[in-house]
Amino acid sequence: PDEYTIERDGEMIGASAVADVVIENGKVTHWATISNQLPECRQVDASLALQNRPACKQAIEVLLAQAPAYSSGAIRITMFISFFWYRTELALEVVNADVPWASARVAVVTQVGAWYNVCSVTKEDYCPRKELLAMERDPAIQVFKDEMEVVLTQMEPFCTGSGRASQLGCYVQTISWTNGVRDNENFQIMNSYIEQAMASRLSSSFRLVDFFRLGGAMPEEVVNGHGSQMLNLWVWTVMFNAMCPAEMAASGSYATWEGNLCSGTEARFENCPNYYPSCLDGPRCEKWECMNSVPCTLKAGDPPIAGNTEGL
């Protein structure tokens, strides 16, 4: 928790294409990033991305090689910003080939889809894949399905049997809930394709997490299409329940939230003084970034005694 307020290069959402972090004894011992502006790793039209792939792969390999030697007491989090499925494919490849950490157990969490909506369905000018903008809706959606199939086929042996992530497992998430009617309807259609593609692959170690329906059960925890810490911590708890051995589970059965900005209902700029107004000097000020800038902790304890409202 005392690491939360430390500012690091490339930390801001959208600033980094890849972030590689090692945590040991509750401290960040290694932090390295690749800028999202690195031309070789820009997520653009598939033909250009394929042309740039060797150079991007090399840049990521150099980044991963900077990490300290593997230690059984260390936790390593490597985050790849994957607008499109081809970046997830590259992520799996370089992680699997990372020899210094070959003995580490691996878990994979991936969520891809929202940017296909931007490019294939709603046709926004800021879409970085002009090829998809130029297509009619149905052929562009087919690109999403085809590129997803390539990656899920790659993930299956990685996540099952004797694969690298077979112990802790892999999670394919549906696209997040959004309160916007148009995008919500589009996401439901695209999520049905994700569910169909995963249906025959589901196993105890290759899992589908329906983040969309979870968000829909608490829509007040979604601000401008982004989940609050309450929503995000909840889905991580679901995933950790399958990753971690039962003896590590908390003894309590009642969730409590500690923090001044855990809920989307509290997403107001006056509640995030370290973010606002300093964000005015940056690229944007967003309430969804505000609500994720203040520490929030999920704890499990005993249910409150009837008539005792303390902590509620």
Side-chain angles (χ1 to χ4, degrees):
D2 56 345
E3 295 275 346
Y4 203 98
T5 57
I6 299 176
E7 295 185 5
R8 295 182 171 88
D9 291 340
E11 185 178 43
M12 190 171 186
I13 294 171
S16 298
V18 185
D20 192 31
V21 186
V22 177
I23 302 169
E24 197 159 8
N25 297 320
K27 301 288 185 182
V28 174
T29 58
H30 174 73
W31 173 279
T33 63
I34 290 178
S35 171
N36 209 25
Q37 299 304 313
L38 183 70
E40 298 93 309
C41 290
R42 295 288 291 169
Q43 296 182 64
V44 290
D45 286 354
S47 58
L48 181 56
L50 182 62
Q51 179 181 328
N52 291 338
R53 191 181 192 276
C56 182
K57 179 183 176 184
Q58 183 178 28
I60 296 172
E61 289 171 339
V62 170
L63 178 83
L64 298 186
Q66 297 172 20
Y70 168 70
S71 164
S72 59
I75 298 170
R76 188 176 187 181
I77 302 170
T78 308
M79 183 173 181
F80 297 80
I81 303 301
S82 298
F83 291 169
F84 307 106
W85 284 108
Y86 60 65
R87 179 52 47 84
T88 306
E89 179 188 14
L90 179 57
L92 290 168
E93 183 178 329
V94 294
V95 168
N96 198 36
D98 186 23
V99 175
W101 279 67
S103 57
R105 292 183 297 170
V106 174
V108 175
V109 178
T110 184
Q111 184 196 69
V112 180
W115 277 87
Y116 285 95
N117 176 59
V118 165
C119 295
S120 302
V121 184
T122 63
K123 304 293 186 182
E124 307 295 344
D125 290 340
Y126 56 85
C127 163
R129 288 183 69 171
K130 305 309 176 187
E131 56 182 353
L132 295 180
L133 285 177
M135 292 181 183
E136 294 295 325
R137 177 187 181 278
D138 288 348
I141 286 291
Q142 188 61 45
V143 172
F144 164 72
K145 296 165 70 175
D146 292 344
E147 293 181 352
M148 173 174 60
E149 182 63 27
V150 169
V151 175
L152 295 184
T153 299
Q154 180 189 19
M155 288 182 71
E156 197 162 8
F158 188 86
C159 303
T160 62
S162 59
R164 184 76 189 279
S166 60
Q167 282 187 280
L168 298 181
C170 298
Y171 300 82
V172 176
Q173 293 186 354
T174 54
I175 307 170
S176 306
W177 174 271
T178 179
N179 291 316
V181 175
R182 182 188 64 170
D183 286 342
N184 191 295
E185 292 174 348
N186 294 339
F187 289 177
Q188 290 184 59
I189 294 170
M190 297 179 73
N191 284 336
S192 71
Y193 298 140
I194 297 173
E195 292 169 353
Q196 292 168 20
M198 283 294 294
S200 63
R201 295 180 162 99
L202 294 174
S203 70
S204 60
S205 60
F206 197 15
R207 306 161 185 138
L208 176 69
V209 176
D210 198 344
F211 200 24
F212 181 86
R213 284 187 175 88
L214 179 63
M218 49 180 89
E220 70 281 0
E221 298 305 332
V222 180
V223 176
N224 292 343
H226 296 266
S228 68
Q229 294 189 75
M230 185 176 289
L231 174 56
N232 288 322
L233 286 170
W234 198 259
V235 77
W236 274 107
T237 299
V238 171
M239 293 189 293
F240 283 142
N241 280 342
M243 289 185 203
C244 304
E247 57 267 22
M248 291 184 66
S251 58
S253 60
Y254 188 84
T256 57
W257 311 88
E258 296 182 358
N260 295 326
L261 219 173
C262 292
S263 173
T265 62
E266 302 164 327
R268 297 181 298 276
F269 287 132
E270 61 264 29
N271 290 336
C272 53
N274 290 332
Y275 175 79
Y276 185 89
S278 61
C279 63
L280 295 171
D281 297 326
R284 61 186 177 268
C285 288
E286 296 282 356
K287 288 184 178 178
W288 60 268
E289 287 189 334
C290 163
M291 72 180 176
N292 283 286
S293 69
V294 178
C296 175
T297 303
L298 167 61
K299 291 188 175 181
D302 296 327
I305 301 172
N308 181 6
T309 59
E310 183 179 357
L312 297 182

